[in-house]
Amino acid sequence: MTAKILDGAALARELRTEIAKAASELTAKGHQPGLAVVLVGEDPASQVYVRNKVSACEQAGFYSEMHRLPANTSEAALLELVTTLNHRDNIHGILVQLPLPAHINSHKVIETIAAEKDVDGFHISNAGLLMTGQPLFRPCTPYGVMKLLEKTGISLRGAEAVVIGASNIVGKPQAMLLLQSGATVTVCNSKTKDLASHCKRADILVVAVGRPNMITGDMIKPGAVVIDVGINRLPDGKLCGDVDFNSASEVAGWITPVPGGVGPMTITMLLQNTLEAVQRTL
Ligand code: GUN
């Protein structure tokens, strides 16, 4: 093992202490940060994620409420709930957990969230602001990855960054943030030919695919920073990332573990975005 561990759990603790302090100051002035989390259906992974989000809110002194709706909830009913939350003064952030059941148009739901309460940063106006270099809310996972990269002290200017995965939630906004930090960015997708040759050029490799252990040590440039966004559950119940930690950590300079890497940072940046949402209303 040669790689240094990029400890997301420790960084998350540090940042959450600062966030909790800011929240308590706001609460003392009558502006307690408030987040509404909406979950439609019974997806087990989503249930865990939203529970963790709500409990992080409580620990940071935020007000939070969880809306659990059955899988057969109509699109109209969900839009009505979002509209109600848009008008609530004690709710500064609204998060609708994705994926939604197939009969609901998730674009329509996201576009219904007031842009100034869209703490996920998924609304088209927030995506546009990010794209044009004037972000309001940065999507939480890519925002957390940028904080982790900052922690290494490695300059991103002119670095070769390769993002594997091109989702609206991680890959695309991640590429934008890296580009705006001066990196040369390649975004790979499931059709990319010779993925290994792209990976091997990367000084910064961000993997967000959802396939257990698909990136192995022989695909990594010696000394690279490897950020593993994947959280996969193996048949034995254990969690693993998209990167094969054992072989990758023999080659990389820095690597995030799973669990304890990107995951805690995603939730931390959700708290940060909610705090920023309150501050903008004052
Ligand atoms: N599903 C997976 N990641 C996320 C996220 O960051 N936000 C929401 N709303 N849903 C998700």
Side-chain angles (χ1 to χ4, degrees):
M1 159 107 190
T2 60
K4 289 186 214 149
I5 298 291
L6 206 35
D7 187 344
L11 180 56
R13 270 195 301 277
E14 243 176 70
L15 295 174
R16 286 188 207 188
T17 305
E18 289 167 27
I19 291 169
K21 185 163 172 281
S24 107
E25 286 165 12
L26 284 166
T27 303
K29 293 182 191 147
H31 305 292
Q32 184 182 26
L35 176 73
V37 178
V38 181
L39 173 64
V40 184
E42 310 285 332
D43 179 67
S46 292
Q47 287 183 7
V48 174
Y49 296 146
V50 298
R51 245 199 330 269
N52 289 344
K53 287 170 186 179
V54 169
S55 104
C57 278
E58 282 162 8
Q59 282 166 25
F62 288 25
Y63 169 74
S64 69
E65 58 186 40
M66 163 99 128
H67 297 263
R68 297 185 67 138
L69 308 177
N72 64 359
T73 298
S74 68
E75 184 180 284
L78 179 56
L79 294 178
E80 195 180 318
L81 170 61
V82 169
T83 305
T84 305
L85 295 169
N86 282 343
H87 289 107
R88 293 256 311 276
D89 286 342
N90 67 332
I91 296 296
H92 306 90
I94 302 169
L95 181 147
V96 178
Q97 186 67 24
L98 302 176
L100 287 167
H103 67 279
I104 296 177
N105 180 338
S106 52
H107 293 295
K108 206 161 158 189
V109 174
I110 291 165
E111 271 34 291
T112 301
I113 299 172
E116 66 276 11
K117 294 191 178 187
D118 166 41
V119 285
D120 265 323
F122 295 164
H123 190 286
I124 43 170
S125 89
N126 285 324
L129 287 168
L130 176 67
M131 174 96 168
T132 52
Q134 24 175 7
L136 189 70
F137 294 111
R138 296 161 179 84
C140 304
T141 299
Y143 193 6
V145 169
M146 296 310 287
K147 291 278 175 196
L148 285 164
L149 290 173
E150 220 173 89
K151 199 73 187 167
T152 67
I154 291 172
S155 170
L156 298 179
R157 289 174 65 114
E160 286 284 342
V162 174
V163 178
I164 314 206
S167 69
N168 291 335
I169 295 180
V170 184
K172 286 185 214 165
Q174 187 72 72
M176 282 303 136
L177 290 172
L178 287 163
L179 189 61
Q180 284 158 18
S181 297
T184 302
V185 183
T186 303
V187 185
C188 299
N189 60 49
S190 58
K191 319 269 181 316
T192 297
K193 291 181 189 144
D194 196 3
L195 186 65
S197 74
H198 290 285
C199 294
K200 275 195 118 134
R201 278 193 298 106
D203 301 308
I204 312 289
L205 182 63
V206 181
V207 190
V209 178
R211 271 178 53 195
N213 301 323
M214 72 170 284
I215 302 297
T216 45
D218 56 319
M219 299 166 80
I220 291 170
K221 180 175 174 177
V225 182
V226 177
I227 308 280
D228 190 352
V229 178
I231 302 176
N232 309 292
R233 199 168 286 282
L234 296 171
D236 66 3
K238 282 194 189 130
L239 289 181
C240 82
D242 293 348
V243 176
D244 175 44
F245 185 87
N246 288 338
S247 63
S249 59
E250 295 296 331
V251 187
W254 290 89
I255 190 166
T256 58
V258 178
V262 175
M265 289 302 294
T266 294
I267 299 183
T268 303
M269 303 332 285
L270 173 66
L271 299 175
Q272 175 66 30
N273 279 345
T274 306
L275 195 63
E276 290 174 16
V278 185
Q279 285 159 343
R280 277 191 211 109
T281 65
L282 302 177

